[in-house]
Amino acid sequence: MLIPHDTRIALDIVVDLLNTAPERDESPDGDELGDVPSLYTFVQKYNISDVGELRAPDLKAVREVRSRFEDVFAAPDARAAAELINRLVASAGTTPQLTDHDGYDWHVHYFAPGASVAEHLAADCGMALAFMIVAGEQERLRRCEAPGCGRAFVDLSRNRSRRYCDSRTCGNRLHVAAYRARRREAAG
């Protein structure tokens, strides 16, 4: 599957944003976007352009966008995901613009000039998710199958077989546990 660099970056941002949320059974204190400085850190990590001074309302708006992305990942089918994405992108006041900045070749920004960070994320990341739906690849938007994990990821494996957010941690932990269980069963 060929994904342009800007779409790939936007998908990485969606996944990272989703994974900042506290686990469902955790307290809200586990939110990695717990304050405005953590939002600045997130914005700087991805070199999100055209973001001015961030305030508490920006943090609240980004958390709302994150929640809407969670709904897209949980959508039961492409039609439901498309409806969620359409509403998300429309609410961002999408204004496509062709640009070449920061050493990248030509690519499209979907956020309007002067957009808030939440609108920026909703527009660009929402369009990246839209491209996944258009390509018939909604099943690539996944949650880790390891017990107790549930982190988001985009399965870009050739055969769509990835099950874990990270094969070195979650995948390896489960494989080791299965191996040990087989050894115990064989010995017992």
Side-chain angles (χ1 to χ4, degrees), residues 59-139:
L59 178 61
K60 182 179 181 198
V62 168
R63 286 177 173 168
E64 173 59 31
V65 167
R66 178 179 67 189
S67 175
R68 294 173 80 180
F69 286 145
E70 287 174 352
D71 294 342
V72 172
F73 267 66
D77 56 40
R79 182 163 308 284
E83 289 174 14
L84 294 165
I85 293 168
N86 284 340
R87 286 196 300 263
L88 179 66
V89 170
S91 72
T94 309
T95 307
Q97 298 175 70
L98 199 57
T99 184
D100 66 339
H101 63 88
D102 297 330
Y104 293 113
D105 283 334
W106 290 105
H107 60 283
V108 179
H109 281 185
Y110 295 94
F111 59 93
S116 71
V117 67
E119 292 166 331
H120 179 126
L121 293 171
D124 278 1
C125 297
M127 288 304 299
L129 292 172
F131 291 133
M132 295 299 287
I133 302 302
V134 167
E137 301 290 355
Q138 181 200 3
E139 73 273 2

Side-chain angles (χ1 to χ4, degrees), residues 10-42:
L11 290 171
D12 289 344
I13 292 170
V14 169
V15 165
D16 201 19
L17 181 61
L18 286 172
N19 291 333
T20 64
E23 295 295 321
R24 285 171 175 62
D25 55 353
E26 274 185 30
S27 73
D29 295 340
D31 194 329
E32 292 178 33
L33 288 181
D35 54 21
V36 173
S38 62
L39 180 56
Y40 268 114
T41 300
F42 184 86

